[in-house]
Amino acid sequence: MNKKWWHDKVAYQIYPKSFYDSNGDGIGDIPGIISKLGYLADLGIDILWLSPCYQSPLADQGYDISDYYSIDPRFGTMEDMERLIAEAKKRGICILMDLVVNHCSDEHEWFRKACENPEGKYGKYFYLRDKKEGDLPTNWRSYFGGPVWEDLPGTDKQYLHVFHRKQPDLNWENPEVREEVYRNINWWLDKGLGGFRIDAIINIKKALPFRDYEPDREDGLCSINAMLTEAKGIGVFLGEMRDRTFKKYDAFAVGEVFNEKPEEIPEFIGDDGYFSSMFDFNEAVFGGSEKGWYDITPITPDDYKKCCFEAQARVGDIGFLSNIIENHDEPRGVSRYIPEGDCCIESKKMLAALNFMLRGLPFIYQGQELGMENVPIASIDEVDDISARDEYQVALEAGLSSEEALKVVSKYSRDNARTPMQWSDETNAGFTTGTPWLKVNPNYLSINAAAQMKDEDSVYSFYKKMIALRKDPVYKETIVYGALEPVWAERHNLMAYYQKGERTLLVVGNYQRDEQEVKLPTVYKNVLLNNYHDIAQENGTVRLHGYQVLVLEMSA
Ligand code: GLC
Ligand code: CA
């Protein structure tokens, strides 16, 4: 594997709307991000991924772009964006923007022109079909619920949208569409971006010609996955995109990829892969069900471990996964991966270390470094997330009571990750002086950056130590390029692995409230991380405290 400039970095995801509001309108913005660059640099962040801040009606919070070449005024101006790129650069931080090109907004000029003249140039930018009363072109269910077909306003046609109806899919089979995409990517790279996070990209290749698939719910529709599994040849598009854009700039590109087959991994993230890296979603998709969120099997510590190790084994040293415990589409990792009732400072640090030390590129989602938790939801009316609103209905239709349905939604809603960043114990967690667009998690009085930065034992301080360890010249080579080897893989509620390189590191976490003993295979030379102040041991046997995690340098 060739070494790349980004391999030893630490990345951080910002959800601009909820990060920091500089002008009191209740919406986070780019000047707000600029004012927090010091915080990020101090934490040790090198790569910043911004969720979309392009011009958008915000039907899906910016993942519905109406102009790829401008910044939405709610987030700032193009000058602000240029200033952010420049100011970040001064601190050694590079910026990734979100590339959302499976679809645009129905308010994009292309779509408006397609409505005006469906037979013209822009009609071919989308997937249009003649409307037949009572008969949809296909029976696919959109990710956010309901059929993927919607009437094309003012015409006798319908258009395809695999996400929300305000997110019409772009027709990648049309070379003109692809040219537009490449032009846009290069335009931004010319502004000095470090690269992109690539949204929903597995959806750009459709199985043609369109056809129905076996319905998988009472609604007579089927999940998009049925069609995607059949779609062949996405690599032609992805390879072309790489060659025409990222490759020329040595840019970093991380793909939102869910369904790669093991034999495709080298094409996706090998030395000359379509992407630099792709996210490991193995833990996030665990227990998923075609029926809906209400049918998800909750993940246990043993499942979590298995998912991580499986993903690691699948990729091996072919390339680099990007490791996450949460993002803007997922509930908070500490609320999901730590057994109910056990979410505490120790367990949060344990989860942090087990994930952060895996082979790959660590991505931290805003607030994760503080151990931010899911938000209590009292009523469905409080929910902003369009997918959560849909899943609430799905749960009701499946026969759950409204309380049960709300419980499901509270657990998995994307709002959990989107509540404002908790900066301090001041009003609105110091996020805004106005009214926040989404309710602040009431636990901000106890969980906030200002308090944690002063506290040596906080989750924040632990993250800072982990990041410093990844950059420590003595251990860097081992942590970044070492080979991961699971240890005691069959033991219950214990997750442990070696990172073997120039040095040998052992990462071991007691994934339960009760103590648990491990007999170390060799003696250790150094304790690199410990979420307790002591190690209880006798003759090489360590009695791990509840949720204790250790990173040890072993004698080889
Ligand atoms: C991705 C984004 C998600 C968005 C969807 C449609 O999954 O992460 O937030 O809703 O794509 O763009
Ligand atoms: Ca603002």
Side-chain angles (χ1 to χ4, degrees):
M1 197 184 68
N2 295 330
K3 294 196 171 170
K4 301 277 168 62
W5 64 265
W6 48 269
H7 279 161
D8 58 358
K9 305 293 188 236
V10 176
Y12 188 97
Q13 180 190 354
I14 285 186
Y15 196 68
K17 201 171 181 188
S18 303
F19 191 60
Y20 186 64
D21 174 21
S22 71
N23 61 354
D25 65 357
I27 295 177
D29 45 52
I30 298 170
I33 300 173
I34 298 173
S35 71
K36 296 294 184 184
L37 282 172
Y39 170 86
L40 296 165
D42 185 54
L43 186 58
I45 301 305
D46 313 286
I47 297 178
L48 258 194
W49 154 29
L50 307 192
S51 277
C53 41
Y54 310 90
Q55 187 179 299
S56 164
L58 304 191
D60 184 24
Q61 296 302 358
Y63 284 92
D64 48 318
I65 298 171
S66 53
D67 182 357
Y68 290 94
Y69 295 91
S70 61
I71 297 294
D72 194 281
R74 282 164 286 198
F75 295 126
T77 62
M78 189 59 77
E79 289 67 45
D80 292 332
M81 190 66 211
E82 285 162 357
R83 198 156 55 86
L84 172 62
I85 296 170
E87 289 296 320
K89 198 164 180 193
K90 283 187 201 156
R91 294 168 171 86
I93 297 176
C94 75
I95 304 286
L96 310 181
M97 285 181 82
D98 218 307
L99 185 71
V100 189
V101 288
N102 172 67
H103 44 267
C104 59
S105 161
D106 66 342
E107 297 182 30
H108 194 287
E109 191 188 3
W110 298 334
F111 191 77
R112 280 197 280 108
K113 288 188 174 158
C115 296
E116 280 162 22
N117 179 12
E119 307 299 341
K121 170 179 159 94
Y122 291 99
K124 298 188 184 68
Y125 273 43
F126 300 93
Y127 289 102
L128 306 184
R129 293 291 182 270
D130 292 332
K131 180 175 174 170
K132 294 196 198 107
E133 216 44 68
D135 184 23
L136 295 171
T138 65
N139 68 339
W140 312 342
R141 182 186 311 104
S142 84
Y143 287 106
F144 296 149
V148 296
W149 296 99
E150 192 76 23
D151 293 353
L152 186 72
T155 71
D156 54 1
K157 306 239 178 245
Q158 295 189 307
Y159 68 93
L160 174 82
H161 61 90
V162 302
F163 289 93
H164 193 258
R165 65 184 162 72
K166 285 187 69 65
Q167 295 168 300
D169 280 53
L170 288 166
N171 179 4
W172 272 69
E173 304 292 337
N174 178 352
E176 285 182 40
V177 167
R178 304 204 298 274
E179 287 305 319
E180 287 283 6
V181 169
Y182 308 152
R183 183 167 76 87
N184 175 250
I185 295 175
N186 292 335
W187 187 86
W188 278 105
L189 290 174
D190 282 334
K191 280 202 182 290
L193 281 189
F196 287 93
R197 173 266 187 181
I198 304 168
D199 183 73
I201 196 70
I202 59 171
N203 297 284
I204 62 171
K205 185 76 194 184
K206 275 62 170 172
L208 293 165
F210 289 170
R211 68 172 184 91
D212 286 350
Y213 296 88
E214 197 59 42
D216 54 22
R217 285 188 203 167
E218 301 280 289
D219 60 6
L221 304 177
C222 71
S223 144
I224 297 287
N225 292 327
M227 178 276 290
L228 290 180
T229 317
E230 214 172 70
K232 298 280 171 308
I234 193 172
V236 177
F237 294 159
L238 297 179
E240 183 183 88
M241 175 162 70
R242 170 201 57 208
D243 293 343
R244 296 284 308 281
T245 63
F246 315 130
K247 198 170 176 173
K248 295 195 292 183
Y249 294 79
D250 195 17
F252 175 77
V254 53
E256 188 192 25
V257 179
F258 283 98
N259 59 351
E260 82 286 354
K261 300 182 190 72
E263 64 274 16
E264 290 173 338
I265 292 172
E267 292 160 43
F268 274 78
I269 56 167
D271 271 336
D272 193 29
Y274 308 135
F275 307 121
S276 317
S277 176
M278 62 187 179
F279 291 107
D280 170 20
F281 290 120
N282 221 24
E283 301 76 49
V285 301
F286 177 88
S289 162
E290 293 296 3
K291 291 188 192 161
W293 287 357
Y294 74 89
D295 196 44
I296 295 179
T297 311
I299 190 165
T300 66
D302 290 344
D303 299 325
Y304 182 81
K305 165 174 68 180
K306 236 174 112 195
C307 287
C308 292
F309 288 166
E310 244 173 46
Q312 291 279 323
R314 223 184 307 139
V315 170
D317 62 359
I318 296 172
F320 261 49
L321 282 170
S322 286
N323 297 314
I324 56 166
I325 71 166
E326 64 205 34
N327 65 24
H328 66 293
D329 290 331
E330 305 294 337
R332 289 289 179 174
V334 295
S335 301
R336 180 186 218 168
Y337 300 124
I338 296 170
E340 220 173 313
D342 283 2
C343 200
C344 60
I345 292 179
E346 285 74 30
S347 57
K348 288 175 180 180
K349 291 179 185 172
M350 178 212 66
L351 180 67
L354 290 178
N355 189 274
F356 190 90
M357 296 298 293
L358 291 170
R359 192 170 188 284
L361 183 65
F363 267 76
I364 299 167
Y365 178 73
Q366 67 182 41
Q368 179 185 325
E369 76 277 24
L370 309 175
M372 276 180 65
E373 300 171 6
N374 279 358
V375 63
I377 299 174
S379 136
I380 189 67
D381 301 330
E382 282 177 18
V383 175
D384 171 79
D385 171 17
I386 48 180
S387 66
R389 287 171 161 274
D390 169 58
E391 293 286 352
Y392 180 76
Q393 288 309 324
V394 170
L396 289 182
E397 277 154 32
L400 275 75
S401 70
S402 49
E403 292 87 84
E404 289 165 337
L406 193 64
K407 217 171 145 197
V408 167
V409 165
S410 303
K411 207 164 165 178
Y412 296 109
S413 168
R414 303 192 296 177
D415 285 355
N416 284 309
R418 299 176 180 186
T419 61
M421 174 74 175
Q422 292 165 207
W423 292 107
S424 71
D425 62 3
E426 286 161 38
T427 318
N428 299 321
F431 162 71
T432 179
T433 54
T435 308
W437 74 276
L438 188 67
K439 174 178 116 176
V440 174
N441 192 319
N443 68 13
Y444 73 92
L445 293 172
S446 57
I447 300 177
N448 65 68
Q452 292 199 20
M453 288 171 77
K454 284 185 277 186
D455 175 3
E456 260 300 290
D457 288 327
S458 66
V459 176
Y460 167 88
S461 296
F462 192 76
Y463 267 92
K464 204 167 160 178
K465 279 179 212 150
M466 290 196 302
I467 295 171
L469 176 61
R470 185 175 169 88
K471 298 183 173 192
D472 183 330
V474 178
Y475 298 106
K476 188 167 151 166
E477 187 71 20
T478 305
I479 295 173
V480 176
Y481 295 108
L484 183 137
E485 227 177 77
V487 194
W488 305 304
E490 295 312 317
R491 275 190 61 176
H492 178 51
N493 288 354
L494 185 82
M495 178 163 163
Y497 52 90
Y498 280 121
Q499 283 287 23
K500 289 186 175 170
E502 280 172 0
R503 292 163 190 268
T504 299
L505 307 186
L506 177 67
V507 181
V508 52
N510 176 22
Y511 213 137
Q512 62 179 18
R513 186 194 302 198
D514 297 329
E515 293 182 343
Q516 146 158 242
E517 280 184 0
V518 289
K519 176 128 185 65
L520 296 180
T522 57
V523 293
Y524 64 84
K525 290 201 284 198
N526 284 306
V527 181
L528 307 182
L529 285 173
N530 182 0
N531 60 344
Y532 278 81
H533 288 290
D534 70 314
I535 299 181
Q537 58 171 329
E538 218 175 318
N539 304 326
T541 295
V542 176
R543 176 178 286 274
L544 294 164
H545 303 298
Y547 292 107
Q548 185 165 24
V549 71
L550 299 170
V551 178
L552 304 172
E553 178 179 5
M554 309 302 282
S555 58

